[in-house]
């Protein structure tokens, strides 16, 4: 190989100061390289929106469960009261039947208690 290395100088032609470059005129063209950041911000926003949506739904479900538990407790109390009333009426009828068998006296009177 020869030791003569030819070095060429490359001249970069810059536009004259009074010439407006069309590519630089649009601000959106300069933002194109930032698309990765936009994707990250968009996915972060979507993630936060989903988290908020799930959180709100969980709170609504928690309220619904609390209401259902309250209604279930109320229904249980009402069932117990009605069961006591049915048992007391059955017991009164049984006492009357035993009294009439033994001829103890007048039938038992059942009186209503008003609150």
């Amino acid at each position: 190989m020869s030791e003569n290395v030819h070095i060429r100088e490359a001249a970069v032609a810059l536009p004259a100061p009074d010439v407006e470059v069309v590519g630089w005129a649009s601000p959106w063209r300069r933002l194109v390289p930032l698309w990765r950041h936009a994707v990250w911000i968009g996915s972060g926003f979507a993630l936060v929106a989903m988290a908020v949506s799930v959180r709100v739904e969980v709170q609504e479900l928690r309220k619904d469960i609390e209401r259902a538990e309250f209604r279930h407790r109320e229904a249980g109390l009402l069932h117990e009261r009605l069961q006591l009333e049915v048992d007391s009426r059955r017991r009164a009828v049984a006492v009357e039947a035993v009294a009439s068998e033994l001829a103890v006296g007048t039938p038992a009177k059942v009186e209503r208690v008003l609150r």
Side-chain angles (χ1 to χ4, degrees):
M1 281 200 160
S2 68
E3 301 221 5
N4 292 338
V5 177
H6 297 316
I7 298 176
R8 282 194 269 169
E9 292 184 22
V12 177
L14 295 175
D18 60 341
V19 175
E20 182 178 339
V21 178
V22 177
W24 294 349
S26 174
W28 299 110
R29 283 191 152 248
R30 286 186 277 169
L31 296 177
V32 169
L34 299 176
W35 69 271
R36 291 184 186 117
H37 299 289
V39 168
W40 277 101
I41 289 171
S43 61
F45 177 76
L47 182 67
V48 169
M50 288 295 291
V52 168
S53 171
V54 168
R55 177 95 175 165
V56 167
E57 189 173 337
V58 166
Q59 287 178 351
E60 288 176 358
L61 287 174
R62 187 176 295 157
K63 284 181 184 178
D64 289 343
I65 289 173
E66 288 174 1
R67 286 187 202 128
E69 286 176 350
F70 179 73
R71 289 181 182 151
H72 181 53
R73 275 186 261 126
E74 279 185 345
L77 288 174
L78 181 62
H79 176 71
E80 288 177 7
R81 288 179 187 158
L82 292 174
Q83 191 64 41
L84 284 173
E85 184 176 343
V86 167
D87 290 345
S88 65
R89 289 180 186 225
R90 285 182 183 158
R91 186 61 98 178
V93 169
V95 168
E96 272 185 29
V98 170
S100 64
E101 278 182 21
L102 298 175
V104 175
T106 60
K109 293 181 183 178
V110 177
E111 294 186 17
R112 289 184 171 255
V113 178
L114 300 176
R115 292 185 194 195

